[in-house]
Amino acid sequence: MLMNTSLRRSTPAGGQIVVNAERPAVFDQLHRPNYSGIPKYRLVLNAIAEGIESGHWKPGERLPTEDDLVQMTSYSLGTVQRALRILVDQGLVVREHGLGTFVAQQQLRIQDPWHCRFLADDGVSFLPVYSTIISRDHASGEGEWQRYFDTAAGARVILIERTINVGNEFEVFTRFYVDRNVFPSLWDTPMEKLNGLNFKKQITQELNVPVTKIDHFVAMEPFDPAVAGYTKTPPYAAGIALQVVACMGQERCIYYQKFFIPPTKRVLSIPDQLTD
């Protein structure tokens, strides 16, 4: 039975924040026996993420305090803190010193992902994916991307590196290449605004030209230490390398992307036709 429906806490400025202290339904599962083998911090993380996705906590709204979350989940303070740290890293929540933890105003979830679609447990829906930009620079050095862009003809290729969190289960690392002349906004937009952006959808909307052909190439490949660090795998362990070549018409490459996917039991669904 819930004894408290709200708490009042003083803010540093002397005002008060009303905090909803009622245990949300997403935490009910945490009070049942866990036979899944999933670590406790991951269960807490998933429950909070589900509460955000379902709208129980809305953008800008403050989450319960760590002590309140301990009471609501019946897990230790260390477990709760670890879950919150990961949610901060994923951009789902932000921490404000002296005030608490809040749902991020700008969500990092990619809407309608095209290439990174992993089937959920029901075998029909897809796990949510959240992207975080790591770097953006002009492409240099040798690589597969050079096959698809004519730099001799003036193409200025930019490289955007990002991580994609899949269902709070594993991290995918990607390298995205595009001609700056064709799509300048990916260079001009502040980097933080690229988080959670569906690049394919953004390109088709801005150019008003459909992506008419996408080729996928899949291979097993050892991950170098840099890639392994982002995917949280041992250096040089083998993972899935997925190359994506998107074209306007039959020949002109609009973007090239390479995904580094760590070993997972999740099924990757690659669509067989282009849809918006």
Side-chain angles (χ1 to χ4, degrees):
M1 186 173 74
L2 301 176
M3 303 299 295
N4 234 358
T5 57
S6 66
L7 298 174
R8 294 186 179 272
R9 304 187 189 280
S10 297
T11 68
Q16 288 186 325
I17 297 176
V18 177
V19 181
N20 181 7
E22 182 175 339
R23 190 180 84 195
V26 291
F27 286 158
D28 290 348
Q29 58 191 312
L30 303 181
H31 293 265
R32 305 186 188 108
N34 174 29
Y35 302 111
S36 66
I38 299 174
K40 290 181 179 180
Y41 77 89
R42 183 68 63 178
L43 294 174
V44 175
L45 184 157
N46 290 343
I48 295 175
E50 183 180 342
I52 293 172
E53 291 296 327
S54 67
H56 181 84
W57 295 297
K58 297 177 174 57
E61 187 171 326
R62 177 179 167 176
L63 294 181
T65 67
E66 292 178 354
D67 288 340
D68 288 338
L69 288 173
V70 167
Q71 295 180 31
M72 292 176 180
T73 63
S74 296
Y75 288 164
S76 70
L77 178 61
T79 296
V80 167
Q81 289 175 333
R82 185 175 183 182
L84 290 175
R85 282 196 300 269
I86 296 175
L87 289 170
V88 169
D89 291 341
Q90 293 175 357
L92 279 179
V93 303
V94 294
R95 283 181 163 173
E96 297 186 18
H97 182 68
L99 292 177
T101 304
F102 296 80
V103 179
Q105 294 282 2
Q106 180 184 355
Q107 293 298 309
L108 308 188
R109 181 170 180 175
I110 301 177
Q111 299 299 320
D112 302 321
W114 183 258
H115 308 299
C116 208
R117 308 194 310 171
F118 291 86
L119 290 175
D121 292 337
D122 61 11
V124 178
S125 61
F126 301 108
L127 294 174
V129 294
Y130 309 88
S131 70
T132 303
I133 301 298
I134 298 171
S135 66
R136 176 179 60 189
D137 204 348
H138 286 99
S140 61
E142 297 183 352
E144 299 100 335
W145 63 272
Q146 292 176 306
R147 298 173 52 192
Y148 305 105
F149 298 96
D150 189 356
T151 54
R156 293 189 297 169
V157 181
I158 60 176
L159 163 61
I160 299 174
E161 295 184 325
R162 58 181 176 168
T163 56
I164 297 179
N165 174 275
V166 180
N168 297 315
E169 293 184 7
F170 57 93
E171 300 283 337
V172 173
F173 174 66
T174 79
R175 292 186 174 124
F176 183 91
Y177 298 83
V178 67
D179 187 347
R180 178 178 170 182
N181 296 325
V182 176
F183 196 61
S185 67
L186 273 184
W187 180 261
D188 299 331
T189 300
M191 278 183 53
E192 65 272 12
K193 293 189 179 296
L194 299 179
N195 293 324
L197 187 65
N198 184 322
F199 288 171
K200 172 186 175 290
K201 182 171 290 188
Q202 189 75 8
I203 287 174
T204 56
Q205 288 177 347
E206 291 200 16
L207 297 182
N208 198 28
V209 176
V211 175
T212 56
K213 177 185 176 185
I214 296 184
D215 291 326
H216 297 86
F217 305 93
V218 182
M220 295 294 293
E221 135 180 348
F223 290 172
D224 63 41
V227 173
Y230 290 122
T231 56
K232 298 180 174 60
T233 55
Y236 303 110
I240 300 172
L242 169 65
Q243 298 182 61
V244 177
V245 183
C247 299
M248 293 187 301
Q250 291 300 309
E251 300 297 335
R252 185 183 182 186
C253 176
I254 186 64
Y255 69 81
Y256 168 81
Q257 187 166 197
K258 187 170 184 179
F259 295 81
F260 299 88
I261 304 170
T264 175
K265 293 182 180 180
R266 291 295 183 181
V267 175
L268 175 63
S269 173
I270 299 178
D272 59 1
Q273 60 181 347
L274 296 175
T275 58
D276 291 332

